[in-house]
Amino acid sequence: MTDTTVAPFSGERVLLKVSGEALMGEGQYGVDAPTVDRIAADIARVYRDGHQVCLVVGGGNIFRGLTAAARGMDRAQGDYAGMLATVINALMVQNALERENVPTRVMSAIAMSAIAEPYIRRRAVRHMEKGRVVIFAAGTGNPFFTTDTAAALRAAEMECTCLFKGTQVDGVYSADPRKDPAAERYERLTYLEVLSRDLNVMDAAAISLARENHLPIVVFNIHEAGAFSRVMRGEGKFTRIEVAG
Ligand code: UDP
């Protein structure tokens, strides 16, 4: 793939999507504390570099509505359980960030006033302006959606300059690089290329939302220590998805 020079990001408001899978580390289920600590340290570095950071946390390491539906559970009911799983993860990430001395707020799309603030857009913006990392929990608050779509939605609402998607590989490939050694990594893609080639980045609803709102998406490997802060500086390997040109 062609090598392109990408300008570093500076003093921006950005959203990082952390999937539930990322929090499992090498495990098959649940949360791996050292992995959460490493991701929190990476987020803290970006925060200390002077950026406003918000997070959307997934829940697939604990519960997925679709998997439960395949086993006979009512889909919407399963999805609500999945959204609750994201709240558990959000609390774990909050705890790890606070141990890094980063002030945080968890805002939940499903009211849960004893443990999280309700999601109020203007209040979320204010938190970030005051130097707090905002962790968005419970996805969009609606069944039949994913936390990828929640990430695109919140990033648009927060007027973020970029949506960072931390994955298991260092960008978007033409095929799964873990299975196909000939797979090539893309430096840049357009939203339409992602949709038309059915590339496995985020679901189509999330890509479409980002496209309509001219929100660039950067895909990188969240398992490499310090990767988020490196990618924020425009260094390291990643794929950038945006409009052509
Ligand atoms: N979910 C939902 N609506 C949302 C976001 C999430 O119903 O807006 C549910 C859905 O069941 C999903 C689960 O929460 O399977 C966990 O989220 P997701 O699978 O997106 O987490 P990730 O893959 O990022 O770990």
Side-chain angles (χ1 to χ4, degrees):
M1 294 295 113
T2 53
D3 208 344
T4 41
T5 311
V6 181
F9 309 89
S10 61
E12 297 182 20
R13 179 182 299 157
V14 295
L15 186 143
L16 172 66
K17 161 74 204 292
V18 184
S19 69
E21 200 183 341
L23 303 176
M24 291 193 307
E26 297 298 309
Q28 298 296 308
Y29 177 83
V31 178
D32 178 56
T35 302
V36 180
D37 288 349
R38 185 177 38 71
I39 293 171
D42 202 0
I43 295 165
R45 217 165 299 147
V46 172
Y47 169 80
R48 287 193 200 102
D49 282 345
H51 302 288
Q52 292 183 22
V53 184
C54 53
L55 310 171
V56 165
V57 183
N61 56 322
I62 300 173
F63 200 92
R64 271 185 211 282
L66 215 76
T67 314
R71 295 193 192 120
M73 187 176 182
D74 176 75
R75 169 73 193 270
Q77 186 80 339
D79 279 343
Y80 280 110
M83 286 185 268
L84 295 186
T86 73
V87 181
I88 295 174
N89 286 334
L91 296 183
M92 306 291 280
V93 172
Q94 177 177 44
N95 186 62
L97 278 171
E98 291 194 332
R99 276 190 280 123
E100 291 281 340
N101 295 315
V102 175
T104 61
R105 291 290 186 275
V106 174
M107 297 192 116
S108 174
I110 294 175
M112 226 176 288
S113 59
I115 51 172
E117 292 183 11
Y119 171 66
I120 298 169
R121 187 182 70 87
R122 294 169 66 107
R123 185 181 276 184
V125 171
R126 193 82 189 101
H127 280 321
M128 280 187 280
E129 287 171 350
K130 284 185 171 175
R132 296 167 187 145
V133 168
V134 178
I135 305 164
F136 296 115
T140 64
N142 301 293
F144 305 102
F145 285 90
T146 64
T147 51
D148 278 354
T149 304
L153 174 66
R154 294 289 184 248
E157 287 186 274
M158 295 300 114
E159 299 179 349
C160 290
T161 50
C162 192
L163 191 173
F164 289 84
K165 161 111 176 164
T167 66
Q168 325 301 315
V169 285
D170 55 11
V172 184
Y173 281 76
S174 52
D176 186 343
R178 291 172 296 188
K179 293 179 189 151
D180 182 352
E184 280 187 279
R185 188 173 59 82
Y186 300 103
E187 290 285 334
R188 280 175 194 266
L189 287 165
T190 66
Y191 305 103
L192 283 180
E193 283 169 337
V194 173
L195 291 171
S196 63
R197 294 182 204 169
D198 204 15
L199 295 171
N200 188 16
V201 183
M202 294 177 118
D203 55 75
I207 299 289
S208 299
L209 201 52
R211 177 173 176 245
E212 280 160 24
N213 292 288
H214 306 286
L215 173 71
I217 302 170
V218 167
V219 182
F220 71 101
N221 187 348
I222 201 163
H223 289 298
E224 290 169 5
F228 182 34
S229 46
R230 263 198 307 282
V231 170
M232 279 294 295
R233 294 194 299 270
E235 298 164 7
K237 286 183 180 172
F238 53 87
T239 298
R240 193 173 165 106
I241 301 157
E242 57 194 347
V243 284

